[in-house]
Amino acid sequence: MLRGFIKFPSPQRSMARKITVRQALRRSGLFDKTYDMDQAIKAGKVTYNSKPVQGLQFHFDSKDCLFFEGTPVRLLKKQYFVLNKPFQTSCQKHESQKFVVDVLDVDPKVRNSLFPVGRLDVPTTGLLIITNDGVLSKELLDPKSKIAKTYKVMLKRKLSDEAIKKLEYGVVIEVQGKDYTTLPCEIKRIPGTQSDCFITITEGKHRQIRKMFKGVDNAVMNLSRTAIGGLTLEEIGLTEGNYKEITFDELTQKIKKKVKVKSSK
């Protein structure tokens, strides 16, 4: 039995003593693209201790000050949003579809500092965390955390008991050109239908759920994430395309609720 449980660092303590130029510039909201940061560095516009920094991965003491064009770089406060991701939006910037962060009506500088925690593919809707807290994002995405994530799935064909057993045990999917056996998951049928279900997993490979159902000769027609740990769309009450700003404590306390995933092994 796996449990989605993690101890999160507080936002006051989460900033490491050493940070990178990339982290500082991103949190400042001064740049829309990593490319623009890189060009500013190459032009000698970003300095530390009166000297041009050599690259985005240059580390410096977070208590010290970085300068851009002679002006101190100020880090924006850490902010946390939960979004019910709309259909046909992207978790990657500068694609043909609308970037998920652009759904938020916030100050342009704040928007520049924000990023989605993990990814939902373009057709997938549902719960998504957006923040500028890189430390929290790293904790949430760490595979060792095994945070349970639940999705509502609408399938093309009837879901058999045999298929459920295979999926819960673990099926082989392709990940980066290699065979990979998925970790145990839990599937619950949705009453009144033979083809729809909820699936809870503790990992997040690229297009994993779609590949899993393809592995049992079915196809996902509609996919929506409904929960991350104990944080649920139902409790937050967000309809598709809407979002809410919440505190660090509210976010992490909800996620930290223990969510059990039974192993069928």
Side-chain angles (χ1 to χ4, degrees):
M1 183 180 293
L2 303 175
R3 298 175 183 270
F5 184 78
I6 181 172
K7 183 177 181 180
F8 295 106
S10 71
Q12 291 78 22
R13 297 180 181 178
S14 63
M15 179 60 76
R17 189 170 183 270
K18 293 283 187 179
I19 63 173
T20 65
V21 171
R22 179 196 293 270
Q23 289 171 318
L25 293 181
R26 184 161 199 172
R27 275 278 306 281
S28 73
L30 293 171
F31 298 89
D32 177 49
K33 306 173 185 176
T34 301
Y35 174 81
D36 294 336
M37 297 182 198
D38 194 50
Q39 291 302 302
I41 289 172
K42 288 180 178 179
K45 296 180 180 181
V46 182
T47 58
Y48 175 71
N49 283 342
S50 301
K51 297 180 180 179
V53 300
Q54 298 304 305
L56 289 174
Q57 295 308 314
F58 175 77
H59 285 72
F60 66 98
D61 195 311
S62 60
K63 294 180 181 178
D64 293 340
C65 196
L66 195 69
F67 288 80
F68 172 61
E69 295 183 332
T71 302
V73 173
R74 304 298 184 191
L75 303 188
L76 299 176
K77 71 173 184 177
K78 294 182 178 180
Q79 290 182 263
Y80 310 88
F81 300 86
V82 285
L83 167 71
N84 187 339
K85 177 185 173 293
F87 181 65
Q88 293 299 92
T89 53
S90 175
C91 288
Q92 292 181 281
K93 221 172 191 179
H94 311 303
E95 289 195 348
S96 56
Q97 295 85 5
K98 185 174 184 177
F99 183 41
V100 289
V101 173
D102 291 337
V103 175
L104 278 58
D105 184 16
V106 294
D107 180 86
K109 274 193 175 183
V110 173
R111 184 181 296 112
N112 285 345
S113 75
L114 297 172
F115 54 87
V117 178
R119 294 178 183 174
L120 294 176
D121 60 15
V122 170
T124 302
T125 62
L127 187 59
L128 187 66
I129 297 167
I130 295 176
T131 185
N132 54 10
D133 187 341
V135 176
L136 177 65
S137 175
K138 184 177 179 180
E139 294 286 347
L140 289 171
L141 296 175
D142 188 341
K144 295 179 182 178
S145 300
K146 296 190 184 300
I147 296 175
K149 302 174 187 70
T150 301
Y151 299 78
K152 183 178 180 181
V153 189
M154 295 179 63
L155 297 167
K156 186 175 183 179
R157 289 177 285 276
K158 178 181 177 180
L159 182 63
S160 68
D161 291 340
E162 181 182 358
I164 290 176
K165 288 180 181 179
K166 287 181 179 179
L167 289 163
E168 289 190 327
Y169 185 85
V171 293
V172 177
I173 63 174
E174 183 181 304
V175 177
Q176 296 181 338
K178 298 180 180 180
D179 286 347
Y180 173 81
T181 302
T182 58
L183 295 177
C185 69
E186 184 172 69
I187 294 179
K188 293 182 178 179
R189 294 185 183 276
I190 296 177
T193 174
Q194 293 184 322
S195 59
D196 300 347
C197 67
F198 288 103
I199 180 171
T200 301
I201 61 176
T202 55
E203 54 184 341
K205 306 300 181 183
H206 180 59
R207 296 179 69 85
Q208 177 173 336
I209 292 175
R210 298 179 189 275
K211 291 178 181 179
M212 288 174 68
F213 283 100
K214 183 179 180 180
V216 292
D217 299 317
N218 214 322
V220 173
M221 305 302 292
N222 187 280
L223 183 63
S224 180
R225 183 157 65 191
T226 59
I228 301 173
L231 179 71
T232 68
L233 274 181
E234 182 178 11
E235 184 177 353
I236 299 170
L238 291 176
T239 55
E240 186 175 328
N242 287 316
Y243 66 92
K244 175 184 178 182
E245 183 174 7
I246 63 176
T247 66
F248 173 88
D249 289 339
E250 183 182 4
L251 176 64
T252 55
Q253 287 301 317
K254 288 181 182 296
I255 292 175
K256 284 196 301 184
K257 290 179 182 179
K258 293 182 179 179
V259 179
K260 300 177 182 179
V261 178
K262 297 179 181 178
S263 171
S264 58
K265 293 185 178 181

